[in-house]
Amino acid sequence: MAGLGRSDPPRANGAGVQGSERSVVAIGVFDGVHRGHLRVIERAVAAAREQGARCVAVTFEPHPDDVVVPGSWTPRLTSPRRRAELLTALGVDEVCVLDFTLELSRTSAGDFAESVLADRLRAATVVVGEDFTFGHRAAGDAEALRALGDKHDFTVEAVALLAGVSSAGVRERLAVGDVEGAAAQLGRPHRVEGVVVRGYQRGRQLGFPTANVETPPHTAIPADGVYAGWLECVPVANLPVVYAGERWPAAISVGTNPTFEGVPRTVEAYALDRDDLELYGVHVAVEFAARLRGNTRFDSIEALIEQINDDVAETRRLTTHGE
């Protein structure tokens, strides 16, 4: 387990909160850091300020379902780095990422409360969602945690759920291309991140050079189609830093490009009116604002170019309105 800041590596070994300092701990997978998670985090941050303590968010990597149900590969809404960035932006002082191993999955609720919450994090208060479960076979719940808190000198607050909002719900929306529905649950546009790699350069040949984004395995990518959104350069350690923090409206293609056979599934983004960008090897984020259409096979290059021009015009309308 390790403390994790905005620019720290996502996982490392560490001892948790140091010395005699007490902490307020929020626990959850927090994948997506959606509007429901926001309730838990806001309460934990407020409690920490009331108590003069540090606010610590505990999350897990890999996703617990991937360990408990091998091969399930839950699509990730956020990487550990992005999750930490979002949590710290909400006021969390420290993010602790626990390696969710088979051994950890078999840890009893009592051992988890003692070894992690009491000993390593010196919890004064633990904040969870009201549906929180923990320990071997998810045997512990919020009430069990309260009883353990009495034993180990911490209090427990269980925050009411936000109806209709869940990480699973966001994944369901993305799976059918409903990026607006996903954004309503997240409280912001869904984004995927990755490094720009060389593709077939067909977009450049057509007059619309795209950034071909290589996303990490098991990333939650929206259904195949064409989307309006944004492309942003994100500084990441050990990778080239150019156009740092710059963000452009972008027409985005997800899929295999049926007009050209034999193309693997890709995420490509064309930054509107920018044919001068050199982004190979750069870490970028692609944000999805709206789905424009599904993928279509065109009978000619001319018909494809005409449709791309329409996609660009609609993207411009959706992403620059009012600016």
Side-chain angles (χ1 to χ4, degrees), residues 262-287:
V263 177
R265 192 168 193 255
T266 60
V267 176
E268 298 181 68
Y270 164 62
L272 270 54
D273 306 319
R274 297 300 301 262
D275 60 4
D276 60 331
L277 300 176
E278 294 294 338
L279 297 175
Y280 293 125
V282 174
H283 190 94
V284 299
V286 177
E287 291 190 349

Side-chain angles (χ1 to χ4, degrees), residues 50-67:
E50 292 164 5
Q51 299 175 32
R54 289 179 62 78
C55 182
V56 180
V58 173
T59 182
F60 305 92
E61 187 63 26
H63 195 288
D65 287 350
D66 295 353
V67 176

Side-chain angles (χ1 to χ4, degrees), residues 22-41:
R22 301 296 296 273
S23 65
V24 173
V25 180
I27 311 176
V29 178
F30 297 131
D31 189 22
V33 193
H34 55 59
R35 290 170 54 232
H37 296 144
L38 183 62
R39 285 187 168 190
V40 175
I41 298 303

Side-chain angles (χ1 to χ4, degrees), residues 82-192:
R82 175 63 173 162
R83 211 176 310 155
E85 182 178 71
L86 291 168
L87 290 168
T88 53
L90 293 172
V92 169
D93 298 304
E94 184 176 3
V95 179
C96 293
V97 181
L98 289 182
D99 286 317
F100 197 90
T101 61
L102 193 59
E103 179 183 5
L104 182 60
S105 75
R106 293 170 175 166
T107 301
S108 71
D111 285 346
F112 181 86
E114 180 177 7
S115 64
V116 175
L117 299 178
D119 293 347
R120 295 167 72 178
L121 294 177
R122 298 191 53 76
T125 300
V126 178
V127 183
V128 296
E130 63 183 2
D131 64 342
F132 175 73
T133 59
F134 69 112
H136 187 46
R137 299 187 184 278
D141 58 12
E143 284 305 312
L145 188 59
R146 284 192 177 96
L148 290 165
D150 291 341
K151 179 179 179 180
H152 296 292
D153 190 30
F154 61 78
T155 60
V156 174
E157 295 188 30
V159 177
L161 300 179
L162 186 59
V165 176
S166 68
S167 298
V170 175
R171 295 186 190 101
E172 290 172 0
R173 293 296 89 217
L174 294 174
V176 296
D178 181 11
V179 294
E180 292 171 285
Q185 294 196 44
L186 289 168
R188 63 183 183 281
H190 176 62
R191 72 192 286 179
V192 301

Side-chain angles (χ1 to χ4, degrees), residues 20 36 42 50 66 77 89 96 121 163 172 226 293 303 314-315:
S20 60
E42 285 182 337
E50 292 164 5
D66 295 353
L77 300 174
C96 293
L121 294 177
E172 290 172 0
V226 177
R293 61 180 175 87
E314 182 65 0
T315 295

Side-chain angles (χ1 to χ4, degrees), residues 205-223:
Q205 295 165 12
L206 297 173
F208 304 93
T210 59
N212 188 352
V213 184
E214 185 175 68
T215 57
H218 318 305
T219 294
I221 299 172

